[in-house]
Amino acid sequence: MPQDFPADSVGLVTPASVELPQAVTLACGRTLHNVNIVYETYGELNAQKNNAVLICHALSGNHHAAGFHSVDDKKPGWWDYYIGPGKPIDTNKFHVVSMNNIGGCAGSTGPMSINPDTGKPWGIDFPLLRVRDWVTTQKMLMDALGIPQWAAVIGGSLGGMQAMRWCVDFPDLLRHCVVSASALKLTAQNIAFNEIARQAITSDPDWCEGHFLQHGKFPKNGLAVARMVGHVTYLSGDAMGEKFGRDLRSGTFATGTDVPVEFQVQSYLRYQGESFSTNFDANTYILMTKALDYFDLGREFDDDPAKAFAATDSQFFITAFTSDWRFSPERSREIVQALVRANKSVSYAEIEASQGHDAFLIPIPRYLEVFGTYMQEIDT
Amino acid sequence: MRTDLNVVKSWVQPNAHILDLGCGDGTLLSELAAEKNCTGYGLEIDPKKINACVKRRINVIEQDLDTGLRNFESQSFDVVVMSQTLQAVKYPDLVVDEMLRVGKKCIVSFPNFGHWRCRLQLVLRGRMPVSKTLPYHWYDTPNIHLCTIKDFQKTCFAKNISIINRTVVSTSALDQLIKKPANFFGETAIYQLER
């Protein structure tokens, strides 16, 4: 069976799950009991237990970062280009831990779980989360797995925010912080896009004030529109132009006919919205976008992110992509500037790429090379 | 290692915090870290060189010097170094100003266009000079702001920049023998500046 998988794949993987032994006190003041965490690991933990890396997922991600769940899987995990034997996050060297964050919808405790107080799905009543709540629960999983320190905490976009927050909350528990296409805080424009997405969801007649599961409904159309908006902002104008141009999927502009015209990009977007909305929870989408909006690394440090980084001795590797306008290189340069002011060890690469924000998920030769080089030089 | 880098190294005090503009593959920073316990960052735009820095664990920041150094705080480095890069930037005079703002002192090296071989090529052959240190043709050279030792010193004087130290180096035995005048026998000039 495994011979069906590429040689540089981690192959068949099976998610594991653990119930956290303690209740989780959240940033909002509320407490979650019996929290379940679903996670995957790739590569062996070495005897010194110093080769573990944590992968933090972004908005639509989950624990399934690499490999295949079955031989019939058409697609591997979401970061399979970057995790595997011989890949930048080399599973011959590292023990990779990837969990589904709480509030998610891939198995860890979230809005689709049963609220023990009501016996019904949490829905919109699931506590609002902040990035630090994910770091708190990632640390609890770390303890449960007996990992004393991360060789690296790695994340792109919202995942990068988690990696940076590790430096604030557990500054001694990571040796490297690897952040891609992220930001110290979102811009107004970025929050605005998230709000459009949320409005799309909550305007859907099947939203049911966030308790659609209890009513056996699902705001599928709203979630699909939310995803479409998001998806367009994760691509670049050039990338969409290259991929679709003004190509027609059906219809014609010939005079004398009134066949409706459909552009390729329309059908692509609808497909993206459609497939996403059948696999994702609307409340999770709202919760995740809010966590993104609320994040501001410097807020508790006199709005000075350099102070936020002060406590850690971690080394940093920051990357951004030239055509990413949702988390532009300017945002990453702000991270670098804060780290230089904090006198931290940091390297920064600005990768020429036309794919927009999604570039960090796509195999880009220069990113593969410099990311791989950085990871190879981590002592284990 | 290039001879000018050896001079630069000898001028840097132990434990200095350094910003190296156009740091290349990180040779200077890595040797300064090993030999003088220095810390700091290099700026570079060439992806291959950035990769080389990452490989030897030198802090490297991808940044185009033509966009300035606004992201660095005033007087935040002991030394700002720029070796063999001054002639390739768009606004060399502004870069030197910025180096002196960001660093307590700065060290600059550049190819001397007043060297006799350059002069000879221009006078006798009527051609733009091409040499080992300046291997490009006029149309493909990244060196868009070449100057002579005299030019550079005049600019420093006009800008009230103090020259603390100057050395010229050359690869040819003849140059090393005769030495003076520097603007005639120096292939590469290295300056230590303060304001």
Side-chain angles (χ1 to χ4, degrees):
Chain A
M1 191 164 58
Q3 64 268 25
D4 293 329
F5 300 114
D8 62 354
S9 166
V10 297
L12 204 59
V13 294
T14 309
S17 78
V18 61
E19 190 181 301
L20 296 179
Q22 285 132 9
V24 182
T25 303
L26 303 168
C28 66
R30 292 167 69 183
T31 303
L32 282 176
H33 298 273
N34 309 105
V35 170
N36 189 58
I37 299 291
V38 175
Y39 65 97
E40 289 180 4
T41 63
Y42 326 109
E44 299 298 317
L45 184 63
N46 65 14
Q48 303 83 14
K49 297 188 176 188
N50 68 358
N51 69 331
V53 299
L54 174 69
I55 306 296
C56 305
H57 70 72
L59 178 55
S60 58
N62 55 39
H63 55 283
H64 186 38
F68 299 83
H69 282 164
S70 86
V71 285
D72 304 321
D73 277 3
K74 288 197 182 72
K75 277 186 176 177
W78 59 269
W79 223 15
D80 195 79
Y81 290 119
Y82 289 89
I83 303 170
K87 290 178 181 174
I89 303 168
D90 189 344
T91 49
N92 290 329
K93 170 174 179 161
F94 294 110
H95 174 62
V96 181
V97 178
S98 174
M99 69 177 251
N100 183 215
N101 281 328
I102 59 167
C105 52
S108 291
T109 298
M112 291 167 77
S113 310
I114 300 299
N115 178 351
D117 294 338
T118 63
K120 293 174 181 166
W122 280 97
I124 192 73
D125 293 337
F126 193 81
L128 274 183
L129 298 177
R130 303 267 284 272
V131 167
R132 71 190 70 180
D133 295 321
W134 292 327
V135 172
T136 302
T137 42
Q138 286 158 0
K139 165 68 165 58
M140 292 168 96
L141 177 68
M142 181 190 193
D143 292 341
L145 298 177
I147 292 166
Q149 186 190 50
W150 300 112
V153 178
I154 306 169
S157 191
L158 178 57
M161 292 173 169
Q162 294 157 51
M164 288 188 281
R165 187 71 208 186
W166 265 91
C167 300
V168 174
D169 292 342
F170 304 104
D172 302 326
L173 297 189
L174 72 166
R175 300 199 298 279
H176 294 269
C177 180
V178 179
V179 176
S180 199
S182 194
L184 294 167
K185 57 187 173 192
L186 291 195
T187 60
Q189 185 194 42
N190 220 330
I191 295 169
F193 279 122
N194 285 340
E195 181 60 14
I196 294 170
R198 287 189 293 263
Q199 287 293 329
I201 293 168
T202 57
S203 311
D204 188 304
D206 290 339
W207 166 244
C208 305
E209 301 303 316
H211 289 296
F212 47 87
L213 284 179
Q214 294 181 27
H215 295 83
K217 291 184 173 172
F218 193 74
K220 196 169 174 335
N221 293 332
L223 185 57
V225 173
R227 181 59 180 174
M228 287 187 218
V229 172
H231 197 74
V232 170
T233 68
Y234 302 146
L235 301 174
S236 71
D238 285 347
M240 292 186 84
E242 274 166 37
K243 199 166 178 180
F244 307 107
R246 294 177 49 84
D247 296 351
L248 297 185
R249 181 173 171 82
S250 61
T252 168
F253 287 113
T255 49
T257 76
D258 61 354
V259 186
V261 160
E262 187 184 37
F263 288 96
Q264 285 288 2
V265 67
Q266 286 177 278
S267 106
Y268 169 80
L269 258 194
R270 274 209 305 277
Y271 171 78
Q272 288 294 326
E274 171 81 18
S275 65
F276 184 78
S277 63
T278 49
N279 290 311
F280 209 78
D281 175 53
N283 276 308
T284 289
Y285 203 87
I286 287 178
L287 181 152
M288 294 264 180
T289 55
K290 284 190 174 171
L292 264 168
D293 292 358
Y294 298 167
F295 184 76
D296 178 354
L297 193 76
R299 191 192 291 117
E300 299 142 79
F301 299 89
D302 309 321
D303 289 324
D304 182 358
K307 288 185 191 163
F309 288 125
T312 189
D313 285 329
S314 172
Q315 299 179 42
F316 292 80
F317 183 56
I318 314 292
T319 45
F321 300 90
T322 50
S323 60
D324 183 353
W325 53 283
R326 192 87 197 251
F327 289 79
S328 72
E330 189 54 34
R331 301 285 85 72
S332 286
R333 286 197 288 264
E334 286 165 2
I335 300 172
V336 174
Q337 190 176 355
L339 289 165
V340 168
R341 284 179 45 238
N343 206 359
K344 300 298 163 186
S345 178
V346 55
S347 283
Y348 170 62
E350 201 166 291
I351 313 289
E352 181 90 35
S354 66
Q355 294 91 340
H357 185 52
D358 275 352
F360 81 96
L361 301 167
I362 293 165
I364 292 167
R366 186 184 166 205
Y367 185 44
L368 283 163
E369 185 184 12
V370 72
F371 187 6
T373 301
Y374 189 88
M375 296 304 293
Q376 277 162 23
E377 296 305 314
I378 291 179
D379 293 330
T380 54
Chain B
M1 181 178 244
R2 292 196 324 247
T3 22
D4 63 312
L5 290 187
N6 280 326
V7 174
V8 172
K9 251 168 51 177
S10 70
W11 286 353
V12 171
Q13 70 272 30
N15 306 314
H17 193 47
I18 298 165
L19 185 64
D20 185 0
L21 311 184
C23 66
D25 62 6
T27 303
L28 177 69
L29 282 172
S30 81
E31 292 191 7
L32 281 171
E35 294 164 26
K36 293 196 164 181
N37 195 35
C38 294
T39 56
Y41 307 90
L43 305 189
E44 184 52 62
I45 46 168
D46 182 331
K48 283 207 169 62
K49 291 174 181 167
I50 289 169
N51 203 58
C53 289
V54 170
K55 178 126 193 85
R56 48 164 46 131
R57 273 290 180 263
I58 291 302
N59 291 324
V60 62
I61 295 168
E62 183 159 348
Q63 184 167 333
D64 185 347
L65 298 178
D66 289 337
T67 61
L69 299 175
R70 267 168 305 176
N71 50 330
F72 296 97
E73 290 186 316
S74 296
Q75 301 293 293
S76 54
F77 290 89
D78 297 312
V79 189
V80 181
V81 178
M82 184 158 68
S83 59
Q84 305 277 27
T85 304
L86 185 72
Q87 74 282 357
V89 299
K90 240 185 211 166
Y91 311 103
D93 54 332
L94 300 183
V95 170
V96 171
D97 282 340
E98 275 292 85
M99 289 173 76
L100 287 163
R101 177 186 65 81
V102 169
K104 294 177 184 122
K105 68 177 184 188
C106 85
I107 300 174
V108 182
S109 76
F110 56 87
N112 173 31
F113 221 57
H115 186 257
W116 63 267
R117 210 177 280 114
C118 292
R119 299 187 192 208
L120 222 56
Q121 288 190 46
L122 196 56
V123 169
L124 295 185
R125 296 177 62 208
R127 302 280 309 270
M128 284 299 280
V130 175
S131 66
K132 257 184 289 176
T133 43
L134 297 166
Y136 302 94
H137 303 101
W138 66 272
Y139 51 85
D140 63 5
T141 182
N143 303 319
I144 53 175
H145 283 120
L146 289 157
C147 68
T148 68
I149 284 178
K150 233 179 198 170
D151 288 329
F152 184 77
Q153 292 189 175
K154 278 209 147 180
T155 307
C156 289
F157 182 76
K159 290 168 97 55
N160 272 324
I161 294 168
S162 320
I163 295 170
I164 304 300
N165 223 334
R166 186 195 79 185
T167 294
V168 293
V169 292
S170 189
T171 47
S172 91
L174 177 74
D175 292 348
Q176 286 165 12
L177 192 71
I178 308 178
K179 284 185 184 148
K180 278 183 181 170
N183 198 24
F184 210 81
F185 293 104
E187 256 175 15
T188 302
I190 309 128
Y191 284 84
Q192 185 174 329
L193 310 171
E194 280 182 27
R195 178 168 264 154

